[in-house]
Amino acid sequence: MTPPPIKDLPVGFQVQIDQRCVQRGDLRNLIGGSPLRVLKLSDAALGMTSDDGRIEVCDAGTRSLARTLLEAGIAQPRPMRGPGEDDVTVVIPVRDNQSGVDRLIAALPGLKVIVVDDGSPVPVTVPGSDLVQLIRFDVNAGPAAARNAGFDAATTGFVAFLDSDTVPRGDWLMMLLSHFSDPAVGIVAPRIVGFGDDSKDTVAAYANRYSSLDMGPREGLVRPGTSLAYVPSAAMVVRREAFSRFDESLRVAEDVDLCWRTNADGWTVRYDPIAHVGHDHRESLGALLDRRRFYGTGAAELASRHGALAAPVMMSVPIAAAVLALLSRTKIGLLITTLLSGWIFTRIRKPLNGVPQRDVIAARNVGRALGFGVLQIWSAALRHYWPVSLVCLLVSGRFRRWFIQAAVAEAAVMWLRSRMDEPASPMVDPIGFSVIHRLDDFAYGLGLWQGAVSRRDFSALRPVIKS
């Protein structure tokens, strides 16, 4: 158990209200975060806020307001200078990747580095330097144990974990360290991007654009149950007193487990996509799918430790009922969806009293909830429960038609969403994306069932429907 964090932000720390939470330029009523929050700023709070939504900590009032907005996910940090590079040790766990270690160390000039050779058959070597230390395991113990050993050998207040197949870019470290000027931040992670050649083929382009290590272009709080549920340990920086150690019994999903335990201990985990770390993604179809299958096996381990947080589907009862009724594509189903949507609308509308255009806002959020619910059901049928879907395909023509339509529609929505998020980035063609995306889901689902069967624990497949 780590000590609780200090919550007081330092003088000079700034936060920026997320413009997606602002309604028509009116800073008084802020709507956003996950779960959805409605915050109404008082005249005093508005007086602490600039016209563009910036708040600088200078006294108790601004400190309290900034913290409230940060924890609601309605504002993002614009931190001041954090610890320096002398306060950081880079830990590199490695097994059988001498060339990767050489390349990575060359990209870390002037930094303290600890390489942990996790039982490589041919021992890894490092250049002779006062800054570079080598630890060797005679027997492979796994990446979690290797990272913990490197952390234990470090003496600095902050430790950066980088896998041997990564290469950081630009001022990545200073960007991440600045977040630690918030004393509540325990972990910060950059965006992990591919440095492969997208022009090789469709598989390489997919691997570099849709890697499961890439958490996307939007910064934010990392919390279980949200779109940013975790950050990968292939590249992350941790504060010493917040680090509760990787679970060495895990060979997969140890990063998800660490993030969720850190969050439960009261520390903040943040994701900053401005900082980039390149990663040598697997660019053959077999290697890509086998990695996805391996990641899927971790779901059973997470469910055994964190229960409902690892559920494949999480919805409220009214949303679940409305979505299932809608997907039935019957007249009675449409009627049920309409009635439930009206009831959900009134519940969302109530706390918006006094907010301009509250009916429009409430209707928009009902639509988003239903849309996200439909995507969850599609994804569950295509990814998590595909063995069950396969049985249904064999016995029901109606389900077969629904399944095919869902497979096409879900892939189209995911492709369009990625295009909207980053319109300037190179795109995989829609057909190629759809095929590999479906294979990707198949591989992950295979791993999920493999993990559940091997543990004889199917809780990772249990949906959570909340009242």
Side-chain angles (χ1 to χ4, degrees):
M1 184 75 174
T2 63
I6 298 170
K7 292 288 188 175
D8 287 346
L9 292 166
V11 172
F13 192 98
Q14 297 185 22
V15 303
Q16 175 67 53
I17 294 174
D18 192 327
Q19 291 302 307
R20 292 172 298 175
C21 302
V22 179
Q23 310 302 313
R24 291 179 172 265
D26 179 13
L27 293 171
R28 184 177 294 276
N29 300 292
L30 304 174
I31 304 170
S34 182
L36 187 69
R37 297 277 300 276
V38 178
L39 296 182
K40 299 180 180 181
L41 299 188
S42 65
D43 289 339
L46 285 173
M48 304 173 190
T49 309
S50 68
D51 291 342
D52 64 349
R54 186 70 67 105
I55 300 161
E56 180 174 347
V57 174
C58 60
D59 55 22
T62 50
R63 181 174 290 113
S64 175
L65 176 61
R67 177 60 71 194
T68 298
L69 294 173
L70 283 176
E71 293 189 346
I74 286 177
Q76 305 295 345
R78 296 297 176 260
M80 54 203 295
R81 183 177 176 84
E85 293 185 348
D86 290 343
D87 300 314
V88 184
T89 301
V90 179
V91 170
I92 305 171
V94 60
R95 188 169 192 266
D96 295 335
N97 190 11
Q98 180 68 60
S99 61
V101 169
D102 295 340
R103 178 182 59 192
L104 180 51
I105 290 177
L108 302 171
L111 292 176
K112 292 183 281 291
V113 176
I114 298 175
V115 176
V116 184
D117 181 358
D118 188 18
S120 300
V122 178
V124 169
T125 61
V126 299
S129 169
D130 293 339
L131 292 175
V132 182
Q133 177 183 350
L134 176 64
I135 298 172
R136 174 168 170 78
F137 292 173
D138 292 329
V139 178
N140 175 253
R147 294 189 188 104
N148 286 343
F151 178 87
D152 292 340
T155 58
T156 50
F158 300 86
V159 173
F161 296 107
L162 290 176
D163 282 0
S164 62
D165 52 3
T166 66
V167 176
R169 297 179 175 178
D171 294 329
W172 68 284
L173 186 56
M174 296 310 296
M175 293 176 188
L176 298 181
L177 289 176
S178 68
H179 286 278
F180 292 107
S181 58
D182 178 351
V185 170
I187 299 176
V188 181
R191 185 174 187 183
I192 298 178
V193 297
F195 54 66
D197 183 359
D198 289 356
S199 65
K200 290 179 182 177
D201 53 43
T202 301
V203 175
Y206 181 93
N208 285 311
R209 180 68 193 267
Y210 302 102
S211 166
S212 55
L213 299 177
D214 186 350
M215 309 311 290
R218 294 184 178 179
E219 65 180 316
L221 277 174
V222 178
R223 285 176 174 165
T226 71
S227 58
L228 266 175
Y230 73 98
V231 285
S233 54
M236 65 166 52
V237 185
V238 303
R239 186 191 297 269
R240 177 167 291 277
E241 57 264 34
F243 183 60
S244 57
R245 307 181 66 79
F246 290 102
D247 185 336
E248 297 185 11
S249 67
L250 292 174
R251 292 287 184 131
V252 63
E254 74 280 358
D255 41 14
V256 184
D257 172 70
L258 176 68
C259 289
W260 291 359
R261 286 188 288 110
T262 302
N263 186 269
D265 288 340
W267 291 91
T268 297
V269 181
R270 295 212 67 91
Y271 171 66
D272 189 346
I274 298 299
H276 281 193
V277 169
H279 183 266
D280 192 5
H281 296 320
R282 290 163 176 80
E283 295 183 351
S284 73
L285 184 60
L288 185 151
L289 296 180
D290 186 60
R291 198 63 183 172
R292 293 291 201 269
R293 178 202 59 77
F294 178 65
Y295 288 152
T297 63
E301 300 285 358
L302 291 173
S304 70
R305 290 163 171 78
H306 300 280
L309 294 180
V313 175
M314 297 181 70
M315 273 189 260
S316 67
V317 171
I319 289 294
V323 167
L324 292 174
L326 180 64
L327 291 175
S328 72
R329 299 175 64 181
T330 62
K331 291 182 179 179
I332 187 65
L334 181 59
L335 176 61
I336 291 172
T337 300
T338 302
L339 294 174
L340 286 171
S341 296
W343 182 76
I344 297 166
F345 172 84
T346 59
R347 291 194 64 183
I348 295 177
R349 184 177 182 271
K350 187 174 182 180
L352 296 174
N353 187 35
V355 176
Q357 293 194 311
R358 67 170 180 165
D359 289 346
V360 173
I361 296 168
R364 185 188 305 137
N365 281 285
V366 171
R368 287 175 178 168
L370 290 176
F372 183 65
V374 168
L375 275 176
Q376 279 200 76
I377 296 298
W378 282 346
S379 179
L382 297 163
R383 184 178 178 89
H384 306 88
Y385 302 127
W386 68 255
V388 177
S389 297
L390 180 61
V391 174
C392 295
L393 285 171
L394 297 175
V395 300
S396 171
R398 182 176 179 182
F399 182 84
R400 194 177 306 126
R401 290 190 296 274
W402 179 89
F403 186 86
I404 293 171
Q405 292 166 359
V408 173
E410 192 270 350
V413 170
M414 299 307 292
W415 186 86
L416 288 170
R417 285 177 66 177
S418 68
R419 186 174 183 85
M420 291 171 63
D421 283 344
E422 296 183 282
S425 296
M427 293 295 297
V428 181
D429 70 273
I431 302 300
F433 169 84
S434 299
V435 172
I436 302 176
H437 182 58
R438 292 279 69 89
L439 292 173
D440 190 331
D441 281 351
F442 175 86
Y444 181 88
L446 180 64
L448 192 158
W449 282 80
Q450 177 186 340
V453 170
S454 65
R455 283 190 58 89
R456 298 181 182 178
D457 180 357
F458 290 85
S459 56
L461 292 160
R462 187 179 302 131
V464 173
I465 308 299
K466 300 176 290 186
S467 58

